[in-house]
């Protein structure tokens, strides 16, 4: 093989077909080799494999990652280390950073971490480059297929959710105490709206949600709304617990009467969302000042807005999208995105600086 293409599982044949069309009849394209999904082998005798890889990267969107095979060796740690060092000598400079990315397929007496540690130590010694497991300038891939290991250089970049200098929003969202008016209507509509609101507040892991009453509400409607909100929170929370690599905050739910809530939060920042307010980015400096406090209370209406009398007790009244009245189930996502954007513009958010995993750096 000259090039290994990684694609979504189930897209191997589609990707292989498009690769064959792009490269022409001289190319040998094998989808799902050895039955491994998400993989396509490409070989084109007599062609420049880097040119092939670049062409695939440019023309085939099904190719999530394109790897140029520099060495093929038996799947033995000593052989892999030797081959990786040879590749690294011409690929990695002392002022680069690198990481070893190993994927095993098949049964072996060693793990992917074993290869990462062994090869990483050898590459560091021979090149003098530093290890950066998060954002290496020169990642080196080891793709193992049963008895064969391929040492590869990527022809496509790496994408990561959290990169250095990205703003960190979660701590600021945790300061948000939402006051959400009860949504009224037929029971089915109330349940759907409540579940959507619950999923939204849990998605952003706000500090708390208080369901606010500002007039008499039918007990059945209130019960349905609260139950649906809690079901939405639980549904999203379970997904987060399974998929996140960190602890997840489960949003607590309270019920309070609006005017007593405002009195109880006297002395704390209170922000009202309403089209009559200032555009959120125009008050970004004030918002940054408010978010230096432990808790920021934000009131959200439902069908009818927050009563104007409450505006006098608010620290700020903000408009999230001028000329647009946002549907109730879209307010929380719109609010969270607008707040974080405004705080970032005000340079109030801390930046991600990378993990400081001394143990891994020592091992590699």
């Amino acid at each position: 093989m000259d090039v290994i293409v990684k694609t979504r599982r189930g897209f191997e044949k589609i990707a292989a077909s498009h690769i064959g069309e792009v490269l022409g009849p001289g190319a040998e394209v094998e989808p799902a080799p050895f039955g491994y999904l998400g993989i396509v082998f490409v070989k084109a005798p007599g062609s420049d494999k880097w040119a092939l890889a670049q062409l695939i990267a440019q023309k085939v969107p099904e190719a999530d990652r394109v790897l140029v095979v520099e060495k093929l060796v038996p799947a033995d740690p000593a052989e892999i280390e030797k081959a990786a060092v040879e590749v690294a000598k011409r690929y990695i400079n002392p002022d680069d950073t690198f990481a070893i990315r190993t994927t095993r397929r098949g049964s072996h007496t060693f793990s992917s971490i074993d290869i990462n540690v062994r090869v990483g130590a050898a590459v560091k010694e021979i090149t003098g480059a530093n290890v950066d497991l998060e954002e290496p300038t020169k990642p080196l891939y080891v793709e193992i297929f049963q008895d064969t290991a391929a040492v590869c250089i990527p022809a496509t970049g790496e994408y990561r959710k959290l990169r250095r200098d990205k703003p960190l929003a979660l701590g600021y969202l945790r300061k948000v105490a939402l006051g959400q008016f009860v949504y009224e209507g037929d029971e089915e509509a109330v349940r759907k709206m409540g579940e959507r609101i619950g999923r939204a507040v849990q998605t952003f892991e706000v500090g708390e949600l208080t369901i606010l009453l500002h007039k008499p509400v039918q007990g059945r409607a209130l019960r349905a709304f609260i139950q649906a909100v809690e079901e939405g929170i639980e549904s999203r929370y379970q997904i987060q617990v399974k998929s996140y690599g960190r602890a997840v905050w489960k949003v607590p739910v309270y019920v309070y009467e609006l005017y007593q809530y405002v009195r109880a939060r006297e002395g704390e920042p209170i922000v009202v969302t309403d089209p009559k307010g200032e555009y959120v980015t125009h008050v970004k400096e004030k918002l940054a000042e408010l978010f230096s406090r432990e808790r920021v209370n934000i009131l959200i209406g439902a069908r009818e807005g927050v009563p104007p009398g409450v505006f006098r007790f608010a620290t700020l009244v903000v408009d999230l999208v001028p000329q647009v009245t946002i549907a109730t189930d879209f307010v929380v996502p719109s609010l969270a995105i607008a707040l974080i954007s405004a705080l970032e513009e005000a340079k109030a958010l801390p930046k991600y600086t990378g993990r400081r995993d001394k143990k891994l750096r020592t091992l590699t």
Side-chain angles (χ1 to χ4, degrees):
M1 69 192 93
D2 292 322
V3 175
I4 297 172
V5 174
K6 291 188 172 184
T7 186
R8 295 290 180 95
R9 291 190 172 200
F11 281 75
E12 307 84 14
K13 291 183 179 179
I14 296 173
S17 175
H18 290 179
I19 291 168
E21 292 173 3
V22 168
L23 300 185
E28 301 172 17
V29 184
E30 182 182 359
F34 307 107
Y36 293 121
L37 301 179
I39 299 293
V40 179
F41 284 173
V42 181
K43 185 173 180 60
S47 301
D48 179 352
K49 58 187 176 183
W50 272 98
L52 294 178
Q54 293 295 338
L55 195 57
I56 293 170
Q58 293 169 7
K59 301 292 185 179
V60 183
E62 292 86 355
D64 291 338
R65 183 160 291 151
V66 182
L67 306 175
V68 178
V69 179
E70 293 291 332
K71 285 282 186 180
L72 281 173
V73 295
D76 174 78
E79 294 291 334
I80 295 170
E81 177 188 335
K82 181 181 176 182
V85 165
E86 289 182 23
V87 174
K89 284 180 181 178
R90 61 177 186 270
Y91 172 54
I92 300 173
N93 299 315
D95 56 346
D96 290 325
T97 59
F98 77 95
I100 308 300
R101 314 287 201 206
T102 302
T103 304
R104 288 188 312 111
R105 302 166 186 86
S107 179
H108 305 92
T109 58
F110 54 86
S111 68
S112 296
I113 294 176
D114 292 335
I115 298 299
N116 288 345
V117 171
R118 178 168 181 164
V119 172
V123 169
K124 181 175 178 61
E125 182 178 358
I126 199 69
T127 64
N130 290 322
V131 174
D132 185 343
L133 301 179
E134 294 184 273
E135 297 180 58
T137 58
K138 297 286 183 69
L140 194 62
Y141 285 75
V142 178
E143 300 289 325
I144 301 174
F145 300 90
Q146 299 180 2
D147 297 329
T148 302
V151 179
C152 309
I153 296 175
T156 49
E158 294 186 332
Y159 296 92
R160 301 185 69 83
K161 292 181 180 178
L162 196 57
R163 299 190 298 276
R164 290 185 181 92
D165 292 330
K166 259 195 173 182
L168 296 172
L170 200 58
Y172 281 71
L173 291 170
R174 196 66 51 80
K175 294 184 177 189
V176 172
L178 288 180
Q180 169 69 61
F181 282 27
V182 176
Y183 184 85
E184 297 182 85
D186 67 82
E187 190 166 339
E188 183 61 24
V190 167
R191 291 194 61 81
K192 287 182 179 179
M193 186 62 69
E195 186 173 349
R196 290 171 185 167
I197 291 171
R199 288 180 62 84
V201 298
Q202 183 59 46
T203 293
F204 294 100
E205 296 179 60
V206 300
E208 65 181 61
L209 172 67
T210 300
I211 296 171
L212 296 176
L213 302 169
H214 68 291
K215 63 180 182 180
V217 176
Q218 285 190 348
R220 180 179 297 178
L222 177 60
R223 181 175 65 248
F225 184 68
I226 294 172
Q227 183 178 359
V229 167
E230 291 184 330
E231 287 174 357
I233 288 174
E234 181 66 24
S235 171
R236 184 59 192 168
Y237 175 74
Q238 291 301 328
I239 292 172
Q240 291 170 320
V241 168
K242 291 178 182 178
S243 59
Y244 287 5
R246 59 168 175 81
V248 181
W249 170 258
K250 188 173 183 180
V251 179
V253 179
Y254 307 98
V255 180
Y256 215 154
E257 194 273 331
L258 168 65
Y259 300 106
Q260 297 304 317
Y261 179 89
V262 171
R263 291 188 178 96
R265 302 296 167 105
E266 184 180 0
E268 297 182 19
I270 296 178
V271 178
V272 172
T273 59
D274 192 279
K276 304 179 190 71
E278 295 286 339
Y279 181 43
V280 65
T281 61
H282 291 176
V283 290
K284 59 188 178 186
E285 302 295 341
K286 182 64 175 177
L287 280 170
E289 180 184 332
L290 298 184
F291 272 87
S292 66
R293 306 281 294 277
E294 289 298 315
R295 184 166 65 179
V296 179
N297 305 282
I298 302 179
L299 306 185
I300 301 173
R303 287 197 166 175
E304 54 184 289
V306 177
V310 175
F311 290 14
R312 297 194 306 274
F313 298 85
T315 317
L316 279 177
V317 181
V318 299
D319 185 8
L320 302 179
V321 184
Q323 295 187 295
V324 175
T325 300
I326 303 173
T328 302
D329 50 342
F330 291 137
V331 173
V332 172
S334 302
L335 170 66
I337 294 167
L339 280 178
I340 294 306
S341 298
L343 291 172
E344 169 61 7
E345 282 191 22
K347 303 187 185 305
L349 298 181
K351 299 295 180 68
Y352 180 67
T353 57
R355 289 182 299 178
R356 294 293 184 263
D357 197 328
K358 295 181 180 178
K359 183 178 179 182
L360 283 175
R361 288 212 307 274
T362 301
L363 289 172
T364 54

